[in-house]
Amino acid sequence: TSRDANTAVLRFLTRFFRFIGPTGRILAPLTLLLIPAVAMMYTDSVDWSLLDFLVMGSLLLAVGWGINWSIERIQQTIFRRILQCLIIGSFLLIWIELAVGLF
């Protein structure tokens, strides 16, 4: 059933984040920068400058730091999840604005 699957996924993620530790939780989002870096080698449709990588890297570091902070400091699960959703939602809004300028 889907509830058992969701519980299993959350259990796996909790164990994984405890395994990689605080530094890994902060630096893990930076691996997403590999996607445009590799894409730039194979196609001309992705054209990032050094500034693009620096801005996205700083945003990803901020997301990693915020999620790590929420895991370490907030004990109540519901408040921790709400804060993590707000952090990720804010990141997505900033990313969308920087990418296409909707606002």
Side-chain angles (χ1 to χ4, degrees), residues 56 59-60 63 86-96:
M56 186 54 75
L59 283 172
L60 290 171
V63 169
L86 288 172
I87 290 168
I88 293 171
S90 299
F91 165 74
L92 290 174
L93 284 174
I94 292 169
W95 182 24
I96 290 169

Side-chain angles (χ1 to χ4, degrees), residues 74-90:
I74 300 177
Q75 299 300 318
Q76 294 178 325
T77 305
I78 188 70
F79 293 129
R80 185 172 55 240
R81 298 278 190 249
I82 289 170
L83 180 60
Q84 290 170 353
C85 287
L86 288 172
I87 290 168
I88 293 171
S90 299

